[in-house]
Amino acid sequence: LGTSQSSLVSLLCALEEARASSMVRWRPCLVAAFVVLAVALWVLVRTTHDSDSTGDDRLSSRSMWLKLHPPRQARHDAELLRRRILSLLVELGPAELQQHVPQIVASLEHGDQQVRQLALSMVRRLDPSALTNHATALADLLGSGVDDDDVRLYALQTLTSLGDMPTVAANGALIFDCLAAKEPAVRLATVSLLALLEPEDLAPYTLAAADAVVQRRDVTLAKGMISAWGWKLESEACRARAGEQACGGVLQALGKLS
């Protein structure tokens, strides 16, 4: 648009110089050429501007549709329309995608797997810091009822990267439930996220966690717990909150398994 405007100004200057020169006898031709070129440039400028505006308006309206139809509230969700809108957002760069994070995160709990995969493909391109203000929404994904270990893994890993301890503490039960996931990577990510808790906040979950690991005979997870939780289980704060069995006793049980 800026280039077209500059060209129009240059053309006006050139024609004005020609008009003032000795080429007076060509004045009718110059005037006609001026009119034709000016009209052509005006059409080009308007077309470019309208095209850009239309594209922005369409993108804005599509994002608004996602905002007004979150999966939890939509009774009759149009999956095909949601897929098409998300497919268009996929083409945006990370900086532009950040403007649509709430709608994309909401789509991660959609009942349609293709919708969730489209949403995952976008949020994975973003730096975790772009989701700083959406930690609660990420934690909610763990209890959304959608059986998708890919979504759980993303939510757990992103929450770990954000290090939002108040959100982790407030959603400890939802996070702990992920230890029962089928995917080993999800279970390990759960241990890493729970490791952000203070010893006294971790203590209420240690006995049940150790019991699940022993029953599953999950040696890898036992080693992960020892590595991530070891010093917390040995702390006085853990024993004061839950007793020796939930702290030192758990550490010994995990050690025997590993």
Side-chain angles (χ1 to χ4, degrees):
L1 182 58
T3 303
S4 301
Q5 291 175 332
S6 299
S7 301
L8 181 57
V9 172
S10 300
L11 176 62
L12 290 172
C13 292
L15 290 173
E16 179 61 24
E17 291 177 1
R19 186 190 65 79
S21 68
S22 59
M23 299 172 64
V24 178
R25 58 194 180 91
W26 296 101
R27 184 173 181 179
C29 295
L30 289 173
V31 170
F34 166 76
V35 172
V36 172
L37 290 174
V39 170
L41 283 173
W42 180 83
V43 170
L44 176 62
V45 169
R46 291 299 302 169
T47 300
T48 302
H49 175 72
D50 291 344
S51 176
D52 292 341
S53 298
T54 300
D56 292 341
D57 291 343
R58 287 177 179 172
L59 184 58
S60 177
S61 65
R62 287 161 180 163
S63 179
M64 181 59 68
W65 187 92
L66 290 174
K67 184 176 181 180
L68 294 175
H69 297 79
R72 287 189 178 184
Q73 297 179 13
R75 294 183 179 179
H76 303 288
D77 191 17
E79 283 84 359
L80 291 177
L81 179 57
R82 185 180 295 274
R83 288 181 205 171
R84 290 190 62 185
I85 294 173
L86 290 172
S87 296
L88 291 171
L89 294 181
V90 166
E91 300 176 3
L92 298 179
E96 295 172 297
L97 276 180
Q98 289 187 35
Q99 303 173 26
H100 310 284
V101 166
Q103 293 85 357
I104 297 172
V105 171
S107 295
L108 289 174
E109 61 177 323
H110 193 274
D112 184 85
Q113 184 180 19
Q114 291 188 10
V115 169
R116 296 196 302 273
Q117 290 301 316
L118 279 171
L120 275 173
S121 71
M122 285 182 277
V123 290
R124 282 171 174 163
R125 290 162 50 199
L126 298 174
D127 188 272
S129 61
L131 288 99
T132 299
N133 297 326
H134 306 282
T136 300
L138 289 171
D140 287 345
L141 291 173
L142 302 177
S144 66
V146 174
D147 188 14
D148 191 325
D149 277 347
D150 287 339
V151 171
R152 290 193 191 95
L153 182 60
Y154 171 78
L156 291 166
Q157 290 177 336
T158 305
L159 286 169
T160 301
S161 297
L162 293 178
D164 188 338
M165 290 179 61
T167 298
V168 176
N171 295 276
L174 287 177
I175 297 168
F176 170 78
D177 287 344
C178 293
L179 283 175
K182 298 177 182 178
E183 179 60 43
V186 173
R187 299 197 294 270
L188 283 172
T190 301
V191 169
S192 296
L193 182 54
L194 288 173
L196 295 179
L197 295 174
E198 295 294 339
E200 59 270 24
D201 294 325
L202 176 64
Y205 305 106
T206 56
L207 274 175
D211 184 59
V213 171
V214 171
Q215 288 188 16
R216 191 189 288 267
R217 306 293 298 175
D218 193 334
V219 176
T220 301
L221 194 59
K223 291 181 179 179
M225 284 182 175
I226 293 173
S227 175
W229 300 359
W231 72 269
K232 297 176 186 283
L233 296 176
E234 294 174 337
S235 70
E236 186 62 36
C238 180
R239 289 192 290 271
R241 175 68 185 274
E244 178 61 27
Q245 185 179 2
C247 301
V250 164
L251 194 58
Q252 291 179 6
L254 294 174
K256 290 179 180 179
L257 180 61
S258 62

